[in-house]
């Protein structure tokens, strides 16, 4: 049975306290196989560097691994942080992925560093103002359509007998929305961590949209942070891991994802509790009916074409259960 609205997965390969990054990567493959069985549309992998709770630092490698371990689900990046990379390198990587897994790869790209300034400087000099130029360079390298006067006119992206997979621009503020539409790309909005309303960005994207080789019509993805469990109480308990993780992130006290037990007993300050209250506004937490109703309400408000779900929990089993309950509720 099809879902009410297409659902996809955004995975960061979360590392739980007491576990390892190796286990987190194995968990990612298990989740991808389950997502395929449950009828999810895509399985995207994020790019983050130097974060003790996230094992997804090389999404292009994980994409190849996950695509090889599955058969039908689309696999892609959510996203490649383009200012960290030379556009030619990304073009080559995703031409290769498209050649290995034709018709199943997505290239989502963003302009944030995905890390702290020091780690970012170890990757390459970071300049987000170059992002629009990098995107157009990436597309022109893939198409081979630089004019003869351009220094890259004779640069060849190999494998050359495929094109880039569908390209999506990912944003959290709306700054890239109109740009994405003008290029005929897909557009995703990060409501799983951004308090900015997605509606203005989606509207600007649709108004600017021009059909392209990838998209004949605009397509918007709304990313949401979701915790689904058998009861509202159980879901709230599991989400406490995210509460403490959020507090530590804002204190720059990074670590693996804490257990709900540790989060429950943590001595929060009044400032911490205020931070958590605001953060919970971004989360969709509850039993299957509660979560389904909230998601459908958000979709109706935003006009999103697809919902991409990020579920970062301490227990891998609880994470699998959350995605299972959600898929069943949305049929």
């Amino acid at each position: 049975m099809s879902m009410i609205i297409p659902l996809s997965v955004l995975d960061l390969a979360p590392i739980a306290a007491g576990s390892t990054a190796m286990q987190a990567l194995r968990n990612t493959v298990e989740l991808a196989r389950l997502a395929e069985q449950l009828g999810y549309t895509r399985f995207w992998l994020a790019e983050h560097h130097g974060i003790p709770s996230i094992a997804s630092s090389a999404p292009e490698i994980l994409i190849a691994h996950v695509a090889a371990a599955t058969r039908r689900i689309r696999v892609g990046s959510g996203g490649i942080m383009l200012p960290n990379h030379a556009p030619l390198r990304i073009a080559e990587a995703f031409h290769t992925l498209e050649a290995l897994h034709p018709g199943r790869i997505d290239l989502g790209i963003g302009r944030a560093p995905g890390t702290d300034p020091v780690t970012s400087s170890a990757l390459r000099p970071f300049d987000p103002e170059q992002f629009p130029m990098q995107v157009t360079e990436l597309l022109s390298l893939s198409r081979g359509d630089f004019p003869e006067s351009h220094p890259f006119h004779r640069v060849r992206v190999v494998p050359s007998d495929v094109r880039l997979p569908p390209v999506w621009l990912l944003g959290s503020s709306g700054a890239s929305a109109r740009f994405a539409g003008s290029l005929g790309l897909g557009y995703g909005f990060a409501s799983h961590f951004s308090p900015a309303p997605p509606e203005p960005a989606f509207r600007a994207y649709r108004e600017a949209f021009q059909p392209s080789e990838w998209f004949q019509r605009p397509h918007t993805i709304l990313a949401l942070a979701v915790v689904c469990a058998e009861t509202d109480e159980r879901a709230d308990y599991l989400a406490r891991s995210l509460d403490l993780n959020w507090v530590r992130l804002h204190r720059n006290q990074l670590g693996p994802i804490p257990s709900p037990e540790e989060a429950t007993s943590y001595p929060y300050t009044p400032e911490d509790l205020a931070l958590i209250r605001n953060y919970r506004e971004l989360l969709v937490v509850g039993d299957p009916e509660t979560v389904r109703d909230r998601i459908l309400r958000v979709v109706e408000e935003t006009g999103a074409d697809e919902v991409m779900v990020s579920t970062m929990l301490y227990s891998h089993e609880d994470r699998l259960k959350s995605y299972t309950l959600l898929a069943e509720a949305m049929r």
Side-chain angles (χ1 to χ4, degrees):
M1 293 177 64
S2 62
M3 298 192 186
I4 301 170
I5 183 167
L7 284 183
S8 294
V9 175
L10 174 61
D11 187 47
L12 282 67
I15 305 169
S19 189
T20 65
M22 288 177 63
Q23 184 60 52
L25 296 175
R26 288 194 288 268
N27 292 346
T28 282
V29 175
E30 185 179 1
L31 175 59
R33 286 174 169 153
L34 176 68
E36 182 171 79
Q37 293 169 17
L38 293 170
Y40 283 84
T41 301
R42 310 170 206 279
F43 191 92
W44 280 8
L45 295 138
E47 175 186 341
H48 289 280
H49 301 280
I51 300 177
S53 60
I54 295 173
S56 178
S57 60
E60 63 274 30
I61 296 175
L62 278 175
I63 289 167
H65 188 59
V66 167
T70 53
R71 293 189 301 155
R72 298 179 308 277
I73 195 168
R74 297 191 67 90
V75 188
S77 56
I80 293 290
M81 299 295 105
L82 196 56
N84 291 335
H85 308 281
L88 174 60
R89 184 69 190 87
I90 298 307
E92 291 173 334
F94 279 81
H95 273 234
T96 301
L97 287 166
E98 182 65 21
L100 290 170
H101 305 284
R104 289 186 56 207
I105 304 299
D106 292 320
L107 171 54
I109 50 181
R111 67 186 296 157
T115 189
D116 63 272
V118 174
T119 305
S120 177
S121 67
L123 289 160
R124 63 181 271 136
F126 184 80
D127 183 2
E129 298 306 314
Q130 297 297 309
F131 180 69
M133 185 188 72
Q134 285 185 297
V135 172
T136 54
E137 183 179 305
L138 171 71
L139 300 180
S140 289
L141 283 166
S142 176
R143 292 168 174 152
D145 63 1
F146 280 114
E148 286 190 23
S149 58
H150 196 282
F152 295 165
H153 172 64
R154 299 182 66 180
V155 175
R156 189 176 179 86
V157 177
V158 178
S160 59
D161 54 349
V162 296
R163 64 181 186 181
L164 276 180
V167 180
W168 304 74
L169 289 197
L170 313 178
S172 59
S173 66
S176 301
R178 194 168 294 279
F179 182 52
S182 70
L183 295 176
L185 310 181
Y187 182 69
F189 194 89
S191 284
H192 62 301
F193 68 80
S194 172
E199 293 91 338
F202 283 173
R203 187 164 54 250
Y205 164 70
R206 294 188 187 104
E207 288 172 353
F209 186 83
Q210 298 291 325
S212 71
E213 62 211 81
W214 299 290
F215 296 92
Q216 287 302 300
R217 58 186 60 86
H219 191 112
T220 56
I221 293 179
L222 183 67
L224 296 174
V226 176
V227 178
C228 189
E230 295 87 346
T231 66
D232 287 344
E233 293 75 20
R234 173 71 177 166
D236 177 77
Y237 176 71
L238 297 178
R240 293 177 194 178
S241 294
L242 299 178
D243 296 339
L244 180 52
N245 205 49
W246 189 252
V247 167
R248 287 175 170 169
L249 177 67
H250 280 259
R251 290 181 179 175
N252 201 28
Q253 298 173 344
L254 303 180
I257 295 178
S259 68
E261 292 84 359
E262 180 184 357
T264 299
S265 62
Y266 189 82
Y268 295 105
T269 67
E271 292 78 12
D272 294 337
L273 295 174
L275 190 67
I276 290 169
R277 279 193 298 273
N278 289 334
Y279 175 59
R280 281 295 187 108
E281 293 294 314
L282 301 176
L283 304 185
V284 180
V285 179
D287 67 15
E289 184 177 356
T290 300
V291 167
R292 182 194 64 214
D293 291 349
R294 172 92 182 272
I295 288 176
L296 291 178
R297 189 163 62 249
V298 171
V299 168
E300 186 176 357
E301 290 168 355
T302 63
D305 298 302
E306 185 176 332
V307 170
M308 183 164 280
V309 176
S310 172
T311 300
M312 294 272 288
L313 293 178
Y314 169 76
S315 162
H316 179 55
E317 289 69 29
D318 287 326
R319 199 159 67 110
L320 297 177
K321 184 74 169 176
S322 180
Y323 281 109
T324 301
L325 292 172
L326 174 61
E328 291 170 350
M330 295 295 283
R331 285 199 173 92

